[in-house]
Structure formats: structure tokens, C-alpha cells
Amino acid sequence: MAVIDDDYGPIVMEHFTNPRNVGDLKDANAVGMVRNGVCGDVAKLFLRIEAGRILEAKFRTFGCGASIAASSVLTELVRGRSLEEAGALTQEDVARALGGLAEPKIHCAVLAEDALRAALEAYRVRTGAAVAP
Ligand code: FES
């Protein structure tokens, strides 16, 4: 488990202050939106998928710094991946890519993973494409 003591490590801060791939993706063909029922943070992930591969990813997240950093790094993690590879990503991969998260912030990485799951599921339902669980 990628847990650190600092609330916001340097990579989290870097993604929070300079988030990658923010905004709507006009030609997205998979969108997932999730909300954490406790803190209320919302993450929306847009994907453009072609021939079983994620070509583009953007996000809009309304929440804490860690949830924005997690969404930002998630868009970098999924770009170029096959649906199978993306489907195998977890909140642990997100937290690791951020250099770790403090225990109370782990759920921010879960929010990002949930947004990815929701987008992949929406794509699967719409197209019938096989997506790893
Ligand atoms: Fe809830 Fe960050 S505090 S997602």
C-alpha cells in the first residue's frame, strides 16, 4: 500500500498545482462520473477509445487537492493502454504514481479508480466490448 505520512507529497502537489488533461473531451466515447458519498468529491473522466485502446483521457474533478492530483495522474496512466490494461489498474497504481498518499487520502485514489471503472463500464454497456473487471 502506497501510504505516506505527509498529507500532500511533492508529486501530489505538482499534479494538484499543474493538473494534466483538465476539461471536457468533446469526442469522448466513454464517460464515467462518480461521487464519494462521505466527502462529496466528484470525479468525471472522459475517454476516447479506438480499436480497444484509450487514445485520450481528460477529467473534471470537484474536490480536494489529492482527488484532483489522482484524476490528473490517472489520465496519464490510462493513455495508450488497452482496455484490458486499463481495466487492471487500481487505486494502488494511482497512489503509487503519486508517490504515495496519506492514509486519510487513500479514498481520493479510490475515487479516481471508481471513475475509471464507471467509464469502462459505460463503454462496455454501449459497445459490448470486453473490459477486464
Ligand atoms: Fe474525498 Fe479527496 S477528500 S476524494
Side-chain angles (χ1 to χ4, degrees), residues 36 39 41 64 67 105 107-108 111:
N36 181 292
C39 68
D41 288 3
C64 71
S67 66
K105 291 292 174 185
H107 79 274
C108 309
L111 188 75

Side-chain angles (χ1 to χ4, degrees), residues 44-130:
K44 190 171 185 180
L45 180 68
F46 304 85
L47 303 175
R48 184 163 65 83
I49 300 167
E50 281 179 28
R53 196 162 288 277
I54 297 172
L55 299 187
E56 277 193 82
K58 295 186 93 168
F59 78 96
R60 284 200 183 275
T61 291
F62 302 93
C64 71
S67 66
I68 290 165
S71 296
S72 171
V73 85
L74 178 70
T75 62
E76 293 193 325
L77 286 173
V78 298
R79 252 190 192 179
R81 290 198 193 243
S82 69
L83 292 178
E84 189 175 40
E85 291 166 343
L89 287 170
T90 67
Q91 49 96 3
E92 180 68 19
D93 297 308
V94 172
R96 193 178 305 113
L98 289 172
L101 285 167
E103 188 71 47
K105 291 292 174 185
I106 290 293
H107 79 274
C108 309
V110 174
L111 188 75
E113 180 189 332
D114 288 348
L116 175 60
R117 299 257 164 270
L120 293 177
E121 177 62 13
Y123 184 76
R124 188 193 67 74
V125 167
R126 199 165 53 73
T127 66

